[in-house]
Amino acid sequence: MTTPPATAPPQARQIVMVAVLVPVLAALALWAFAWPAARTAPRDLPLGVAGPAAAAGPLTQQLQRQQGAFEVHRYADEGAARDAIEDRAVYGAVVATPQGPKLLTASAASPVVAQLLQQAVQRQAPEGRAVPTVDVVPAPEADPRGSALGASVLPLAIAGVAAGALVTLRGLRGIRAVVALVVAAAFVGAVTAALTHSWLGVLTGNWWAEAGALGLSTLAVSATVAGLAALLGPVGIGIGALSMVLLGNPFSGVTSAPQLLPEPVGTIGQLLPPGAGGSLLRSVSFFDGARAFGPALTLALWAALGLTAVVLGAALRRRRSPAAAEQPSARAEAARVS
């Protein structure tokens, strides 16, 4: 009587694992992408109100009635409000004038927010009176809706994951892996800046600053993936890829604004490389580097931690290798003596 093959139960388990894992990943992806998009609304969105207290007070009260939609900042006059917009302290401002409210926006900060502010302020105006609007920092003519900038987040995340995976799978370890990751990120930054700035014209800031921001964003992702792989093995690539692509991309808020996403998604997104990279790129491209320090620091920390993990993982691997080599030799010596 023959016994059934011993491989049948493991194969059955593999089938069940795939049948369960794929729907779970699909549900996670749908939640990560669809839920923030379905719950888009202003939440403590920084907005300025400028003008004399007597005229600006009623405007402030009207905005504050909208159930925490806006975080109102007061400014003495239109000039101060414009400075705040250019410094990225607020997304726009309502100026009280003798002729009525006047709206200042910055479509370069977010075309979606600029349109939202126009609708919100227009609802507060007397019926039949259009609110004059001035775009203080307009989006580039080649990308008026910010679509190209928003579309840059996913390719950069994918490039970072690919670089981290290739370094791992090609067997690069320690300093060699660090050099490969840094060089690859530098090339990605240069090539991407050439495409988006020099060719498409959707970025309008300093070319080198944009290339640096794009390269640092890539390095933050690639170093994280390679670092996780160095410490955890191949499963680290999967964890890094899921974190950066499946969560980092939809949580980034680049296509709208972090303050339009439900909490804590907006905050988490800015702590992940895709969100921080999008904010940094917007700052150096359209706002002369205003508010760039925070996202640049976030990216630098991710990159530093990832590269440290790469070096640490190589050191741990070297330490385990002699011990593993000694065990077979010890068994051979014991066999020879016996």
Side-chain angles (χ1 to χ4, degrees):
M1 180 177 179
T2 60
T3 58
T7 56
Q11 289 178 352
R13 286 196 295 268
Q14 294 295 333
I15 293 173
V16 173
M17 181 182 298
V18 171
V20 173
L21 185 60
V22 171
V24 169
L25 289 175
L28 180 61
L30 184 63
W31 167 79
F33 281 85
W35 174 55
R39 298 292 184 268
T40 298
R43 297 171 177 84
D44 291 327
L45 187 74
L47 177 64
V49 173
L59 291 175
T60 302
Q61 293 176 1
Q62 290 175 357
L63 293 170
Q64 290 177 337
R65 289 195 196 104
Q66 299 188 32
Q67 299 179 348
F70 300 108
E71 179 185 277
V72 178
H73 298 246
R74 285 282 290 114
Y75 299 102
D77 51 32
E78 181 176 339
R82 284 175 175 266
D83 291 341
I85 293 173
E86 293 172 351
D87 191 47
R88 299 200 71 186
V90 293
Y91 281 90
V94 184
V95 182
T97 70
Q99 294 77 29
K102 174 183 178 181
L103 177 63
L104 307 178
T105 63
S107 58
S110 171
V112 174
V113 171
Q115 184 178 10
L116 183 150
L117 293 179
Q118 291 177 9
Q119 296 171 351
V121 175
Q122 185 62 53
R123 286 196 297 267
Q124 306 297 328
E127 186 175 356
R129 178 183 295 179
V131 176
T133 302
V134 177
D135 199 346
V136 178
V137 187
E141 294 181 1
D143 189 26
R145 295 181 178 85
S147 303
L149 181 66
S152 67
V153 174
L154 182 58
L156 286 176
I158 293 175
V161 171
L166 283 173
V167 164
T168 302
L169 298 177
R170 298 302 296 177
L172 296 175
R173 302 285 185 266
I175 299 301
R176 291 182 179 180
V178 170
V179 172
L181 292 169
V182 172
V183 172
F187 275 113
V188 169
V191 170
T192 310
L195 291 173
T196 54
H197 182 117
S198 305
W199 179 43
L200 296 175
V202 298
L203 301 180
T204 58
N206 180 274
W207 193 94
W208 291 104
E210 292 166 354
L214 292 164
L216 183 58
S217 299
T218 304
L219 181 61
V221 175
S222 62
T224 300
V225 172
L228 288 171
L231 296 177
L232 305 178
V235 70
I237 298 177
I239 295 174
L242 288 175
S243 301
M244 298 301 164
V245 175
L246 199 59
L247 296 181
N249 183 53
F251 287 11
S252 67
V254 176
T255 57
S256 55
Q259 292 84 358
L260 298 185
L261 301 179
E263 287 297 342
V265 168
T267 301
I268 293 173
Q270 292 306 295
L271 296 176
L272 294 173
S279 296
L280 177 61
L281 184 60
R282 200 182 290 277
S283 291
V284 300
S285 299
F286 310 129
F287 293 89
D288 294 326
R291 307 281 167 162
F293 177 77
L297 179 61
T298 299
L299 293 173
L301 288 174
W302 277 99
L305 290 173
L307 295 177
T308 301
V310 168
V311 175
L312 179 61
L316 294 174
R317 186 185 182 90
R318 287 193 302 269
R319 182 176 297 180
R320 288 194 297 263
S321 296
E326 288 175 1
Q327 291 178 1
S329 61
R331 287 196 295 268
E333 180 65 20
R336 187 184 65 82
V337 171
S338 61

